[in-house]
Coordinates of all heavy atoms in Angstrom, one line a residue:
M1 N 13.6 30.7 5.5 CA 13.2 31.2 4.1 C 12.3 30.1 3.5 O 12.5 28.9 3.6 CB 14.4 31.4 3.3 CG 14.2 32.1 2.0 SD 15.7 32.4 1.1 CE 16.1 30.8 0.5
L2 N 11.3 30.6 2.8 CA 10.4 29.7 2.0 C 11.2 29.0 0.9 O 12.0 29.5 0.3 CB 9.3 30.5 1.4 CG 8.2 31.0 2.3 CD1 7.2 31.9 1.5 CD2 7.4 29.9 3.0
Q3 N 10.8 27.7 0.7 CA 11.4 26.9 -0.3 C 10.9 27.3 -1.7 O 11.7 27.2 -2.7 CB 11.1 25.4 -0.1 CG 11.9 24.8 1.0 CD 11.5 23.3 1.2 OE1 10.7 22.8 0.4 NE2 12.1 22.7 2.1
L4 N 9.7 27.8 -1.8 CA 9.1 28.1 -3.1 C 9.2 26.8 -4.0 O 9.8 26.8 -5.0 CB 9.8 29.3 -3.8 CG 9.7 30.6 -3.0 CD1 10.5 31.6 -3.8 CD2 8.3 31.0 -2.8
R5 N 8.5 25.8 -3.6 CA 8.4 24.6 -4.4 C 7.8 24.9 -5.8 O 6.9 25.7 -5.9 CB 7.7 23.5 -3.7 CG 8.4 23.1 -2.4 CD 7.7 22.0 -1.7 NE 8.3 21.8 -0.4 CZ 7.8 21.1 0.6 NH1 6.6 20.6 0.5 NH2 8.4 20.9 1.8
P6 N 8.3 24.1 -6.8 CA 7.9 24.5 -8.2 C 6.6 23.9 -8.7 O 6.2 24.1 -9.8 CB 9.1 23.9 -9.0 CG 9.5 22.7 -8.2 CD 9.3 23.1 -6.7
N7 N 5.9 23.1 -7.9 CA 4.7 22.5 -8.4 C 3.6 22.2 -7.3 O 3.9 22.2 -6.1 CB 5.0 21.2 -9.1 CG 5.5 20.1 -8.1 OD1 6.3 20.4 -7.2 ND2 5.0 18.9 -8.2
C8 N 2.4 21.9 -7.8 CA 1.3 21.5 -6.9 C 1.5 20.0 -6.5 O 1.7 19.2 -7.4 CB 0.0 21.7 -7.6 SG -1.4 21.0 -6.7
E9 N 1.4 19.7 -5.2 CA 1.5 18.3 -4.8 C 0.4 17.4 -5.2 O 0.5 16.2 -5.3 CB 1.6 18.3 -3.2 CG 2.9 18.5 -2.7 CD 3.0 18.2 -1.2 OE1 2.4 17.2 -0.8 OE2 3.7 18.9 -0.5
C10 N -0.7 18.0 -5.6 CA -1.9 17.2 -6.0 C -1.9 16.9 -7.5 O -2.0 15.8 -7.9 CB -3.2 18.0 -5.6 SG -3.6 18.0 -3.9
C11 N -1.8 18.0 -8.3 CA -2.0 17.8 -9.7 C -0.7 18.1 -10.5 O -0.7 18.0 -11.7 CB -3.1 18.7 -10.2 SG -2.7 20.4 -10.1
D12 N 0.4 18.4 -9.9 CA 1.7 18.6 -10.5 C 1.7 19.9 -11.4 O 2.5 20.0 -12.3 CB 2.1 17.4 -11.3 CG 3.7 17.4 -11.5 OD1 4.4 18.0 -10.7 OD2 4.1 16.8 -12.5
K13 N 0.8 20.8 -11.2 CA 0.8 22.0 -12.0 C 2.0 22.8 -11.6 O 2.4 22.9 -10.4 CB -0.5 22.8 -11.6 CG -0.7 24.1 -12.3 CD -2.0 24.8 -11.9 CE -2.0 26.2 -12.4 NZ -3.4 26.6 -12.8
D14 N 2.6 23.5 -12.6 CA 3.7 24.3 -12.4 C 3.3 25.6 -11.6 O 2.3 26.2 -11.9 CB 4.4 24.8 -13.7 CG 5.1 23.7 -14.3 OD1 5.6 22.8 -13.6 OD2 5.3 23.7 -15.5
L15 N 4.1 25.9 -10.5 CA 3.8 27.1 -9.7 C 5.1 27.9 -9.6 O 5.9 27.7 -8.6 CB 3.3 26.7 -8.3 CG 2.0 25.9 -8.3 CD1 1.7 25.3 -6.9 CD2 0.8 26.9 -8.7
P16 N 5.4 28.7 -10.6 CA 6.7 29.5 -10.5 C 6.7 30.4 -9.4 O 5.6 30.7 -8.8 CB 6.7 30.2 -11.9 CG 5.3 30.1 -12.4 CD 4.6 28.9 -11.8
P17 N 7.9 30.9 -9.0 CA 8.0 31.8 -7.8 C 7.1 33.0 -7.9 O 6.8 33.6 -6.8 CB 9.5 32.1 -7.7 CG 10.1 31.5 -8.9 CD 9.2 30.6 -9.5
D18 N 6.8 33.5 -9.1 CA 6.0 34.7 -9.2 C 4.5 34.3 -9.4 O 3.7 35.2 -9.7 CB 6.5 35.5 -10.4 CG 6.3 34.9 -11.7 OD1 6.0 33.6 -11.7 OD2 6.5 35.5 -12.7
S19 N 4.1 33.1 -9.2 CA 2.7 32.7 -9.3 C 1.9 33.2 -8.2 O 2.3 33.1 -7.0 CB 2.6 31.2 -9.4 OG 1.3 30.8 -9.4
T20 N 0.7 33.7 -8.5 CA -0.2 34.1 -7.4 C -1.2 33.0 -7.1 O -2.1 33.2 -6.4 CB -0.9 35.4 -7.8 OG1 -1.6 35.2 -9.0 CG2 0.1 36.6 -7.9
E21 N -1.0 31.9 -7.8 CA -1.9 30.7 -7.6 C -1.4 29.8 -6.6 O -2.1 28.8 -6.3 CB -2.0 30.0 -9.0 CG -2.6 30.7 -10.1 CD -3.9 30.1 -10.4 OE1 -4.0 29.0 -10.8 OE2 -4.9 30.9 -10.3
A22 N -0.2 30.0 -6.1 CA 0.3 29.0 -5.1 C -0.2 29.2 -3.7 O -0.3 30.3 -3.2 CB 1.8 29.1 -5.1
M23 N -0.6 28.1 -3.1 CA -1.0 28.1 -1.7 C -0.1 27.1 -0.9 O 0.2 26.0 -1.4 CB -2.5 27.6 -1.6 CG -3.5 28.3 -2.6 SD -4.0 29.9 -2.0 CE -5.2 29.4 -0.7
I24 N 0.2 27.5 0.3 CA 1.1 26.7 1.2 C 0.5 26.6 2.6 O -0.3 27.4 3.0 CB 2.5 27.3 1.3 CG1 2.5 28.7 1.8 CG2 3.2 27.2 -0.1 CD1 3.9 29.2 2.2
C25 N 1.0 25.5 3.3 CA 0.7 25.4 4.7 C 1.9 25.8 5.5 O 2.9 26.2 4.9 CB 0.2 24.0 5.1 SG 1.6 22.9 5.2
S26 N 1.9 25.7 6.8 CA 3.0 26.2 7.6 C 4.3 25.3 7.4 O 5.4 25.7 7.7 CB 2.6 26.2 9.1 OG 2.5 24.9 9.6
F27 N 4.1 24.1 6.8 CA 5.2 23.2 6.5 C 5.6 23.4 5.1 O 6.4 22.6 4.6 CB 4.9 21.8 6.8 CG 4.7 21.5 8.3 CD1 3.4 21.4 8.8 CD2 5.7 21.4 9.2 CE1 3.2 21.2 10.2 CE2 5.5 21.2 10.5 CZ 4.2 21.1 11.0
E28 N 5.0 24.3 4.4 CA 5.3 24.5 3.0 C 4.9 23.4 2.0 O 5.4 23.3 0.9 CB 6.8 24.8 2.7 CG 7.2 26.1 3.5 CD 8.7 26.5 3.2 OE1 9.1 26.4 2.0 OE2 9.4 26.7 4.2
C29 N 3.9 22.6 2.4 CA 3.3 21.7 1.5 C 2.6 22.7 0.5 O 2.0 23.7 0.9 CB 2.2 20.9 2.1 SG 2.8 20.0 3.6
T30 N 2.8 22.5 -0.8 CA 2.4 23.5 -1.8 C 1.4 23.0 -2.7 O 1.5 21.9 -3.3 CB 3.7 23.9 -2.6 OG1 4.7 24.3 -1.6 CG2 3.4 25.0 -3.6
F31 N 0.4 23.8 -3.0 CA -0.8 23.4 -3.8 C -1.2 24.5 -4.7 O -0.9 25.7 -4.4 CB -2.0 22.9 -3.0 CG -1.6 21.8 -2.0 CD1 -1.3 22.1 -0.7 CD2 -1.5 20.5 -2.4 CE1 -0.9 21.1 0.2 CE2 -1.2 19.5 -1.6 CZ -0.9 19.8 -0.2
C32 N -1.8 24.2 -5.9 CA -2.3 25.3 -6.7 C -3.7 25.7 -6.1 O -4.2 25.0 -5.2 CB -2.5 24.8 -8.1 SG -3.9 23.6 -8.4
R33 N -4.1 26.9 -6.5 CA -5.3 27.5 -5.9 C -6.5 26.6 -6.2 O -7.4 26.4 -5.3 CB -5.6 28.8 -6.6 CG -6.0 29.9 -5.6 CD -6.0 31.2 -6.4 NE -7.4 31.5 -6.9 CZ -8.3 32.1 -6.1 NH1 -8.0 32.5 -4.9 NH2 -9.5 32.3 -6.6
G34 N -6.6 26.0 -7.4 CA -7.7 25.1 -7.7 C -7.8 24.0 -6.8 O -8.9 23.7 -6.3
C35 N -6.7 23.3 -6.5 CA -6.8 22.1 -5.6 C -7.0 22.6 -4.2 O -7.8 22.0 -3.4 CB -5.4 21.4 -5.7 SG -5.2 20.5 -7.2
A36 N -6.3 23.7 -3.8 CA -6.4 24.1 -2.4 C -7.9 24.5 -2.0 O -8.4 24.1 -0.9 CB -5.5 25.3 -2.1
I37 N -8.5 25.2 -2.9 CA -9.9 25.6 -2.6 C -10.9 24.5 -3.0 O -11.9 24.4 -2.3 CB -10.2 26.9 -3.5 CG1 -9.4 28.1 -2.9 CG2 -11.7 27.3 -3.4 CD1 -9.5 29.3 -3.7
G38 N -10.6 23.8 -4.0 CA -11.6 22.7 -4.4 C -11.5 21.5 -3.6 O -12.1 21.4 -2.5
V39 N -10.6 20.5 -4.0 CA -10.5 19.2 -3.4 C -10.1 19.3 -1.9 O -10.7 18.6 -1.1 CB -9.4 18.4 -4.1 CG1 -9.3 17.0 -3.5 CG2 -9.8 18.2 -5.6
L40 N -9.2 20.2 -1.6 CA -8.7 20.3 -0.2 C -9.5 21.2 0.7 O -9.3 21.1 1.9 CB -7.2 20.8 -0.3 CG -6.3 19.9 -1.2 CD1 -4.9 20.6 -1.3 CD2 -6.2 18.5 -0.7
Q41 N -10.3 22.0 0.1 CA -11.2 22.9 0.9 C -10.4 23.7 2.0 O -10.8 23.8 3.1 CB -12.3 22.1 1.6 CG -13.2 21.4 0.5 CD -14.4 20.8 1.1 OE1 -14.5 20.4 2.3 NE2 -15.4 20.6 0.3
G42 N -9.2 24.2 1.5 CA -8.5 25.1 2.4 C -7.7 24.4 3.5 O -7.0 25.1 4.3
M43 N -7.6 23.1 3.5 CA -6.9 22.4 4.5 C -5.8 21.5 3.9 O -6.1 20.8 3.0 CB -7.8 21.6 5.3 CG -7.3 21.2 6.7 SD -8.5 20.3 7.7 CE -8.2 18.6 7.1
C44 N -4.6 21.6 4.5 CA -3.5 20.7 4.0 C -3.8 19.3 4.3 O -4.1 18.9 5.4 CB -2.2 21.1 4.6 SG -0.8 20.1 4.1
P45 N -3.7 18.4 3.2 CA -4.0 17.0 3.4 C -2.9 16.2 4.1 O -3.1 15.1 4.6 CB -4.2 16.4 2.0 CG -3.3 17.4 1.2 CD -3.4 18.7 1.8
N46 N -1.7 16.8 4.2 CA -0.6 16.2 4.9 C -0.6 16.4 6.4 O -0.3 15.5 7.2 CB 0.7 16.7 4.3 CG 0.8 16.4 2.8 OD1 0.3 15.3 2.3 ND2 1.4 17.3 2.0
C47 N -0.8 17.7 6.8 CA -0.7 18.0 8.2 C -2.0 18.6 8.8 O -2.0 18.8 10.0 CB 0.4 19.0 8.4 SG 0.1 20.6 7.7
G48 N -3.0 18.8 8.0 CA -4.3 19.3 8.5 C -4.3 20.8 8.8 O -5.2 21.3 9.4
G49 N -3.2 21.4 8.3 CA -3.1 22.9 8.6 C -3.8 23.7 7.6 O -4.3 23.2 6.5
E50 N -3.8 25.0 7.8 CA -4.4 26.0 7.0 C -3.6 26.3 5.8 O -2.4 26.4 5.9 CB -4.6 27.2 7.9 CG -5.4 28.4 7.3 CD -5.3 29.6 8.2 OE1 -4.7 29.5 9.2 OE2 -6.0 30.6 7.8
L51 N -4.2 26.4 4.6 CA -3.5 26.8 3.4 C -3.8 28.3 3.1 O -4.9 28.7 3.1 CB -4.0 26.0 2.2 CG -3.7 24.5 2.3 CD1 -4.4 23.7 1.1 CD2 -2.2 24.2 2.2
V52 N -2.7 29.0 2.9 CA -2.8 30.4 2.6 C -2.0 30.7 1.3 O -1.1 29.9 0.9 CB -2.2 31.3 3.8 CG1 -3.1 31.1 5.0 CG2 -0.8 31.0 4.1
R53 N -2.2 31.9 0.7 CA -1.5 32.2 -0.5 C 0.0 32.4 -0.2 O 0.3 33.0 0.7 CB -2.1 33.4 -1.1 CG -1.6 33.6 -2.6 CD -2.2 34.9 -3.2 NE -1.6 36.1 -2.8 CZ -0.5 36.6 -3.3 NH1 0.1 35.9 -4.3 NH2 0.0 37.7 -2.9
R54 N 0.8 31.8 -1.1 CA 2.2 32.0 -0.9 C 2.6 33.3 -1.4 O 2.3 33.7 -2.5 CB 2.9 30.9 -1.8 CG 4.4 30.9 -1.6 CD 5.1 29.7 -2.4 NE 5.0 30.0 -3.8 CZ 5.4 29.1 -4.7 NH1 5.8 27.9 -4.4 NH2 5.3 29.4 -6.0
P55 N 3.4 34.1 -0.6 CA 3.8 35.4 -1.1 C 4.8 35.2 -2.3 O 5.5 34.3 -2.4 CB 4.5 36.0 0.1 CG 4.7 34.9 1.1 CD 3.9 33.7 0.7
V56 N 4.7 36.2 -3.2 CA 5.6 36.2 -4.3 C 6.9 36.8 -3.9 O 7.0 37.8 -3.3 CB 5.0 37.0 -5.5 CG1 6.0 37.3 -6.6 CG2 3.7 36.3 -6.0
R57 N 8.0 36.1 -4.3 CA 9.3 36.6 -4.1 C 9.7 37.5 -5.2 O 9.7 37.2 -6.4 CB 10.4 35.5 -3.9 CG 11.8 36.0 -3.6 CD 12.7 34.8 -3.2 NE 12.1 34.1 -2.0 CZ 12.5 32.9 -1.6 NH1 13.5 32.3 -2.1 NH2 11.9 32.4 -0.5
P58 N 10.2 38.8 -4.9 CA 10.5 39.7 -6.0 C 11.6 39.2 -6.9 O 12.5 38.5 -6.4 CB 11.0 40.9 -5.2 CG 10.4 40.8 -3.8 CD 10.3 39.3 -3.6
Q59 N 11.5 39.4 -8.1 CA 12.4 38.9 -9.1 C 13.9 39.2 -8.7 O 14.8 38.3 -8.8 CB 12.2 39.5 -10.5 CG 11.1 38.8 -11.3 CD 11.4 37.4 -11.7 OE1 12.6 37.0 -11.7 NE2 10.4 36.6 -11.9
G60 N 14.2 40.4 -8.3 CA 15.5 40.8 -7.9 C 16.1 39.9 -6.8 O 17.4 39.9 -6.7
K61 N 15.3 39.3 -6.0 CA 15.8 38.5 -4.9 C 16.0 37.1 -5.3 O 16.7 36.3 -4.5 CB 14.8 38.5 -3.7 CG 14.4 39.9 -3.3 CD 15.6 40.6 -2.6 CE 15.1 42.0 -2.1 NZ 16.3 42.8 -1.8
L62 N 15.5 36.6 -6.4 CA 15.6 35.2 -6.8 C 17.0 34.8 -7.2 O 17.3 33.6 -7.0 CB 14.6 34.9 -7.9 CG 13.1 34.8 -7.5 CD1 12.2 34.8 -8.7 CD2 12.9 33.6 -6.7
A63 N 17.8 35.7 -7.6 CA 19.2 35.3 -8.0 C 20.0 34.8 -6.8 O 20.7 33.8 -6.9 CB 19.9 36.5 -8.7
R64 N 19.9 35.6 -5.7 CA 20.6 35.2 -4.5 C 19.9 34.2 -3.7 O 20.5 33.4 -2.9 CB 20.9 36.4 -3.7 CG 22.0 37.3 -4.3 CD 22.3 38.4 -3.3 NE 22.9 37.9 -2.1 CZ 24.0 38.5 -1.5 NH1 24.5 39.5 -2.1 NH2 24.5 38.0 -0.4
N65 N 18.6 34.2 -3.8 CA 17.7 33.3 -3.0 C 16.8 32.5 -3.9 O 15.6 32.8 -4.0 CB 16.9 34.1 -2.0 CG 17.8 34.9 -1.1 OD1 18.5 34.4 -0.2 ND2 17.8 36.2 -1.3
P66 N 17.4 31.6 -4.7 CA 16.6 30.9 -5.7 C 15.5 30.0 -5.1 O 15.6 29.5 -4.0 CB 17.6 30.1 -6.5 CG 18.7 29.9 -5.5 CD 18.7 31.1 -4.6
A67 N 14.4 29.8 -6.0 CA 13.3 28.9 -5.6 C 13.8 27.5 -5.6 O 14.7 27.1 -6.4 CB 12.2 29.1 -6.5
S68 N 13.2 26.6 -4.9 CA 13.5 25.2 -4.9 C 13.1 24.7 -6.3 O 12.2 25.1 -6.9 CB 12.6 24.5 -3.8 OG 12.7 23.1 -4.0
S69 N 13.9 23.7 -6.7 CA 13.6 23.1 -8.0 C 13.2 21.6 -7.8 O 12.9 20.9 -8.7 CB 14.8 23.1 -9.0 OG 15.9 22.4 -8.4
E70 N 13.1 21.2 -6.5 CA 12.7 19.9 -6.2 C 11.2 19.7 -6.2 O 10.5 20.3 -5.4 CB 13.3 19.5 -4.8 CG 13.2 18.1 -4.5 CD 13.6 17.8 -3.0 OE1 14.4 18.6 -2.5 OE2 13.0 16.9 -2.4
R71 N 10.7 18.9 -7.1 CA 9.3 18.7 -7.2 C 8.8 17.7 -6.2 O 9.4 16.7 -6.0 CB 8.9 18.2 -8.6 CG 9.3 19.2 -9.7 CD 8.9 18.7 -11.1 NE 7.5 19.0 -11.4 CZ 7.1 20.1 -11.9 NH1 7.9 21.1 -12.2 NH2 5.8 20.3 -12.2
V72 N 7.7 18.1 -5.5 CA 7.1 17.2 -4.5 C 5.7 16.9 -5.0 O 5.0 17.8 -5.4 CB 7.0 17.9 -3.1 CG1 6.4 17.0 -2.1 CG2 8.4 18.3 -2.6
L73 N 5.4 15.6 -5.1 CA 4.1 15.2 -5.6 C 3.6 14.1 -4.7 O 4.3 13.1 -4.4 CB 4.3 14.6 -7.0 CG 3.0 14.4 -7.8 CD1 2.2 15.6 -8.0 CD2 3.4 13.8 -9.2
K74 N 2.3 14.2 -4.3 CA 1.7 13.2 -3.5 C 1.4 11.9 -4.3 O 0.8 12.0 -5.4 CB 0.4 13.7 -2.9 CG 0.5 14.4 -1.6 CD -0.9 14.9 -1.2 CE -1.7 13.9 -0.4 NZ -1.0 13.5 0.9
P75 N 1.9 10.8 -3.8 CA 1.5 9.5 -4.6 C 0.0 9.4 -4.7 O -0.7 9.4 -3.6 CB 2.2 8.4 -3.8 CG 2.8 9.0 -2.6 CD 2.5 10.5 -2.6
G76 N -0.5 9.2 -5.9 CA -1.9 9.1 -6.0 C -2.7 10.4 -6.1 O -3.9 10.4 -6.2
G77 N -2.0 11.5 -5.9 CA -2.7 12.8 -5.9 C -3.6 13.0 -4.7 O -3.5 12.3 -3.7
C78 N -4.5 14.0 -4.8 CA -5.4 14.3 -3.7 C -6.8 13.8 -4.1 O -7.2 14.0 -5.2 CB -5.4 15.8 -3.4 SG -3.8 16.4 -2.9
R79 N -7.4 13.3 -3.1 CA -8.8 12.8 -3.4 C -9.8 13.6 -2.6 O -9.5 14.2 -1.6 CB -8.9 11.3 -3.0 CG -8.0 10.4 -3.8 CD -8.4 9.0 -3.6 NE -7.6 8.1 -4.4 CZ -6.3 7.8 -4.1 NH1 -5.8 8.2 -3.0 NH2 -5.6 7.0 -4.9
H80 N -11.0 13.6 -3.1 CA -12.1 14.3 -2.4 C -12.3 13.6 -1.1 O -12.4 12.4 -1.0 CB -13.4 14.2 -3.2 CG -13.7 15.5 -3.9 ND1 -14.0 16.6 -3.2 CD2 -13.7 15.8 -5.2 CE1 -14.2 17.6 -4.1 NE2 -14.1 17.1 -5.3
V81 N -12.3 14.4 0.0 CA -12.7 13.8 1.3 C -14.2 13.9 1.4 O -14.8 15.0 1.3 CB -12.1 14.6 2.4 CG1 -12.4 13.9 3.7 CG2 -10.6 14.7 2.2
A82 N -14.8 12.7 1.4 CA -16.3 12.7 1.4 C -16.9 13.3 2.7 O -16.3 13.2 3.7 CB -16.8 11.2 1.2
Ligands
LIG1 ZN1 -3.2 21.4 -8.1
LIG2 ZN1 1.0 20.6 5.4

């Protein structure tokens, strides 16, 4: 099951479970759309994997399968790869 992390690892933007702005890699490194498309250019800075839009978990399922509340943030944020 997806963890549904609550924030962007780059800029710490909130990404609630119903956000359509959340992008993840296969390891669930989680980023906002702006960072994923902008600075990261569609590639996860941690594992080099592809970033795709995180599916939204239906509200009714969140009670039994709650989203992660553990914030993950990259030290120093994400930098432009020249
Ligand atoms: Zn971000
Ligand atoms: Zn990754």
